[in-house]
Amino acid sequence: MLMSYREALNQAMREEMRRDSRIFLIGEEVGYYQGAFKVSKGFVEEFGPQRVVDTPITEAGFTGLAIGAAMAGLHPIVELMTMNFGIVALDQIVNNAAKIHYMSGGQLSVPLVIRGPGSAAHQLGAQHSQSLEAWFCHVPGLKVIAPATPHDAKGLLKSAIRDNNPVIFIEAQLLYGTKGDVGDGEYTIPIGVAEVKRAGHDATIVAYSKMLLLALEAADQLSREGIEVEVIDPRTLKPMDLPTIVASVKKTGRLVIVEEGWHFCGLGAQIAESVYREAFDYLDAPIQRVTGADVPMPYSRPLEDAAIPNKERIIKAVKAMCATP
Amino acid sequence: MDRADLLSLYRQMLLIRRFEEKSAEMYALAKIAGFLHLYIGEEAIAVGAIAALRPDDYAISAYRDHGHCLARGSNPGQVMAELFGKATGLCQGKGGSMHLVDAQRRFMGGYAIVGGHIPLATGLAFATKYQRLDLVTVCFFGEGAVPSGQAHEAFNLAALWKLPVIFICENNRYGMGTPIQRAVALYQDVAESARSYGIEAERVDGMDVLAVRDMMRRVVEPVRAGQGPFFIEAMTYRFMGHSMSDPAHGHYRTKEEVDEQRKRDPLAILKETILSKRLGIEGDFKQLEKDIGEVVAASVKFADESPFPAPSELYNDVLVE
């Protein structure tokens, strides 16, 4: 059924909260305001303020509280109004959520979802436009998910909620209003499984979150020009489904990785390293990366546009590779 | 006051004291490495506070955590083995001195980012309230954590939501080498930080195990009943250095000051009470020394003879399967 990304997230949480009373939602404006981006619309009415908990503006405090609650057997969903504010809670996420299971020799666990929108929207300035997934992916003990479509968002959020590890679930402000077909009834999508979003044989594009939509647009246009690209959405960034990516590269011989995050030490560098290791002999050209510019996000629209990957840059990268025999 | 009760408190404090002294020895022999923060001088707080808890209440601590773990009833052999980095340690050697955990005894861990575990304590308390369990959470930290932002966020949340948590500030007057008057604006009354959020707070003599336990007994039931958090400032003194890397005195405090403070030894204070009330005789203390000496020696033997974790353990428990 056709549904927005926002509605899909709402449905996933609602179904899970109906199923399991250990699950609660906590964050700024999640209750009576209905969520800063209306993802938790109707929740406080259905589940009450005990399970839909409005907090003061203290990300470290309430994220830490959620981690403690998870240690005692609850399954919290922390909504960060934006992933940028995860930086304020980073000590809790990195030093506590990610490490407690290991440090305790497996005695304690932290079943927790931290979700909210990452990446740039329009002209929100440098502090509200960051793609921090590489930071989270760097930390052992965290799982990181960044779905692009409403169907994937619903199925993966349900899996994240049922997982017994801390899961960082990255949405995007510009995806909330996008619509897509969402499977009927009860379904989940396994964490760590990529999906081939479009089949092709000339080159592979790996893209996730809202960059997937750009990659698919680029693929459409390239197809009209006779270049058939395969587009893969890893969906889960950690653990990443490398076999699916490697299998595609072995078929196409060319790889473009698109990410909105900063270039240096970005996720694409990690994917490239893995592909070079696994499929070096299959590559017909060096791997190309299309990334965000290594700058704090500027406010001015033309500058902002220049800092974020676009369809033209993806097409150019693919063509540059395909020119290589 | 009965004899068995007082001797039991003494025994627990003695266990911590001798365990810590032995740890220092083992550190000198390089059996223990990394950071090692001894609880010597502060024993009355962990023992007195935990004595007022039920076995299913939660306790959580910072990095100077051996005392809390032992007071919670953890097996000294497993604690020592953890300090040795052995597979038989409480955390299979993956935690170490600063990260002891004994989940079975509701000791939810030692944490080594100052202030960072205080929100976790509010979370444990949030969970028990959510689950409608009549449990309390006790959170130990030093006065050096009080000015941290995470402490303040946690105080506010605990007060705002009336969470059943007791914050116990072990005020040993030094955050590493910095005296409290150079670190905390309200150094004469650090509990003001908690009161400013509407949390009731009191000061107790942290060298007097009976005073600590009495105060805890007085506040634990109202907290358990849902009247909101409580903050206890326990006045104490660290007889040793901050960690094994600094001496008991040094550039930041004088030998005279340390000697003066050592005159108020929590073990001596309780012993004096027991003797003066004629609830025990010297022979009782000799016997306890002997018993505890054997327990600590056995813990070292156990740790020493235990195997290190297998290399294959490296990647285990990064994630829950």
Side-chain angles (χ1 to χ4, degrees):
Chain A
M1 115 186 231
L2 196 66
M3 187 184 295
S4 73
Y5 191 100
R6 172 187 288 113
E7 289 164 326
L9 295 170
N10 180 293
Q11 229 180 50
M13 288 195 290
R14 196 186 290 271
E15 287 174 10
E16 292 303 300
M17 286 178 72
R18 283 175 183 167
R19 186 182 60 79
D20 185 346
S21 65
R22 294 172 304 174
I23 302 166
F24 68 100
L25 178 65
I26 183 168
E28 292 148 4
E29 311 292 1
V30 296
Y32 295 102
Y33 194 89
Q34 312 284 311
F37 298 102
K38 309 298 175 214
V39 173
S40 54
K41 191 169 174 212
F43 272 43
V44 74
E45 290 79 359
E46 175 168 352
F47 300 106
Q50 286 75 31
R51 296 183 68 194
V52 185
V53 184
D54 282 323
T55 67
I57 307 164
T58 53
E59 288 83 5
F62 69 73
T63 303
L65 181 143
I67 294 166
M71 289 161 65
L74 300 186
H75 286 225
I77 303 170
V78 173
E79 178 172 309
L80 292 174
M81 193 182 288
T82 83
M83 275 292 156
N84 301 286
F85 309 153
I87 298 174
V88 182
L90 210 59
D91 173 49
Q92 287 298 335
I93 296 169
V94 175
N95 279 316
N96 289 337
K99 292 182 174 61
I100 280 172
H101 185 63
Y102 192 83
M103 289 197 302
S104 67
Q107 293 178 76
L108 301 174
S109 55
V110 183
L112 169 79
V113 175
I114 298 175
R115 47 157 289 272
S119 76
H122 289 305
Q123 293 188 273
L124 300 182
Q127 295 181 337
H128 281 67
S129 305
Q130 303 172 95
S131 300
L132 300 172
E133 56 272 16
W135 291 31
F136 297 116
C137 285
H138 193 59
V139 182
L142 300 178
K143 294 184 179 181
V144 184
I145 300 174
T149 69
H151 180 78
D152 289 349
K154 182 177 175 188
L156 279 162
L157 183 52
K158 285 170 72 84
S159 293
I161 294 168
R162 294 180 189 191
D163 201 276
N164 283 318
N165 294 286
V167 180
I168 309 292
F169 191 93
I170 302 174
E171 303 154 9
Q173 219 173 301
L174 296 183
L175 287 176
Y176 284 138
T178 59
K179 291 195 170 171
D181 247 339
V182 170
D184 289 328
E186 179 77 31
Y187 74 95
T188 59
I189 294 173
I191 293 171
V193 179
E195 188 171 73
V196 178
K197 296 289 187 183
R198 179 191 176 110
H201 47 76
D202 293 320
T204 301
I205 300 177
V206 169
Y208 58 88
S209 191
K210 72 180 203 262
M211 291 297 109
L212 175 73
L213 308 190
L214 282 185
L216 290 170
E217 283 176 33
D220 271 345
Q221 187 169 327
L222 285 162
S223 175
R224 289 195 290 275
E225 298 178 29
I227 299 172
E228 294 299 336
V229 298
E230 182 144 296
V231 179
I232 295 177
D233 180 359
R235 305 191 291 188
T236 301
L237 306 183
K238 191 178 188 181
M240 187 169 284
D241 179 1
L242 286 167
T244 297
I245 296 170
V246 167
S248 175
V249 172
K250 284 182 175 174
K251 184 174 74 176
T252 64
R254 298 177 178 90
L255 175 62
V256 176
I257 306 160
V258 188
E259 65 185 306
E260 189 176 327
W262 294 303
H263 183 87
F264 193 80
C265 292
L267 207 58
Q270 179 58 48
I271 298 170
E273 186 266 350
S274 301
V275 171
Y276 279 128
R277 189 158 32 81
E278 300 287 325
F280 185 79
D281 291 338
Y282 295 84
L283 288 168
D284 294 326
I287 294 169
Q288 296 275 326
R289 293 177 61 203
V290 178
T291 73
D294 278 334
V295 298
M297 189 64 75
Y299 163 74
S300 173
R301 189 63 188 260
L303 291 179
E304 185 185 59
D305 286 345
I308 300 172
N310 57 32
K311 188 175 73 176
E312 287 68 35
R313 282 173 61 198
I314 298 170
I315 289 168
K316 199 175 152 198
V318 172
K319 283 184 173 170
M321 298 185 97
C322 291
T324 314
Chain B
M1 279 194 244
D2 77 46
R3 169 185 154 81
D5 173 45
L6 296 190
L7 286 176
S8 161
L9 291 175
Y10 189 87
R11 184 192 164 90
Q12 290 180 62
M13 292 201 292
L14 188 65
L15 170 63
I16 297 171
R17 175 68 56 92
R18 299 293 174 250
F19 183 96
E20 294 293 61
E21 289 166 352
K22 187 59 80 177
S23 301
E25 237 178 82
M26 293 300 114
Y27 194 87
L29 293 174
K31 296 280 188 185
I32 299 173
F35 294 128
L36 182 69
H37 308 87
L38 304 178
Y39 198 57
I40 294 175
E42 308 186 32
E43 296 92 339
I45 304 172
V47 170
I50 288 169
L53 296 182
R54 289 188 348 208
D56 49 350
D57 288 328
Y58 287 114
I60 188 166
S61 173
Y63 52 85
R64 196 180 301 284
D65 59 347
H66 310 172
H68 310 102
C69 192
L70 290 169
R72 206 70 180 112
S74 297
N75 177 319
Q78 284 179 288
V79 180
M80 190 63 84
E82 187 62 31
L83 305 190
F84 276 46
K86 296 297 184 74
T88 56
L90 277 178
C91 306
Q92 297 166 28
K94 284 176 174 162
S97 162
M98 302 192 290
H99 305 300
L100 300 173
V101 172
D102 193 344
Q104 212 187 335
R105 289 179 181 77
R106 294 287 171 103
F107 181 65
M108 302 304 273
Y111 296 86
I113 303 296
V114 172
H117 71 295
I118 306 179
L120 300 182
T122 64
L124 294 166
F126 178 93
T128 59
K129 185 174 180 178
Y130 185 100
Q131 294 158 329
R132 299 180 194 282
L133 301 172
D134 63 338
L135 299 179
V136 301
T137 296
V138 173
C139 178
F140 298 92
F141 49 87
E143 87 292 339
V146 172
S148 77
Q150 299 211 51
H152 282 259
E153 295 190 14
F155 295 160
N156 182 58
L157 290 171
L160 189 66
W161 296 336
K162 288 194 181 308
L163 300 178
V165 54
I166 300 172
F167 299 110
I168 301 187
C169 172
E170 302 177 324
N171 184 352
N172 66 22
R173 298 168 39 184
Y174 292 89
M176 210 166 157
T178 304
I180 182 172
Q181 57 271 26
R182 289 175 53 214
V184 182
L186 300 170
Y187 64 89
Q188 286 170 318
D189 188 7
V190 301
E192 269 306 295
S193 293
R195 282 193 205 99
S196 72
Y197 295 100
I199 298 175
E200 238 188 293
E202 280 188 51
R203 176 178 285 179
V204 69
D205 178 3
M207 296 309 208
D208 181 347
V209 67
L210 295 174
V212 174
R213 188 175 64 175
D214 284 350
M215 176 169 292
M216 271 291 288
R217 281 179 170 170
R218 195 153 49 74
V219 306
V220 75
E221 290 318 316
V223 172
R224 195 184 296 288
Q227 292 182 20
F230 201 94
F231 183 104
I232 295 173
E233 181 191 16
M235 307 306 287
T236 186
Y237 196 81
R238 156 163 65 68
F239 290 177
M240 310 297 282
H242 164 73
S243 73
M244 293 306 291
S245 56
D246 64 316
H249 55 86
H251 295 296
Y252 65 92
R253 58 184 197 181
T254 62
K255 183 170 185 307
E256 290 69 33
E257 179 186 308
V258 176
D259 288 346
E260 187 58 31
Q261 291 293 328
R262 274 179 171 272
K263 290 179 186 162
R264 292 206 74 238
D265 183 315
L267 278 91
I269 290 172
L270 179 60
K271 184 175 172 180
E272 179 54 34
T273 304
I274 294 171
L275 291 175
S276 70
K277 292 188 185 302
R278 299 180 184 283
L279 292 169
I281 55 169
E282 275 298 341
D284 294 322
F285 296 97
K286 285 205 176 101
Q287 187 60 44
L288 282 175
E289 282 288 2
K290 186 167 171 291
D291 293 351
I292 292 298
E294 283 166 12
V295 168
V296 171
S299 76
V300 169
K301 186 166 186 290
F302 174 75
D304 212 23
E305 288 173 356
S306 290
F308 282 108
S312 59
E313 266 299 309
L314 181 61
Y315 288 99
N316 285 348
D317 292 329
V318 176
L319 292 168
V320 180
E321 293 306 320

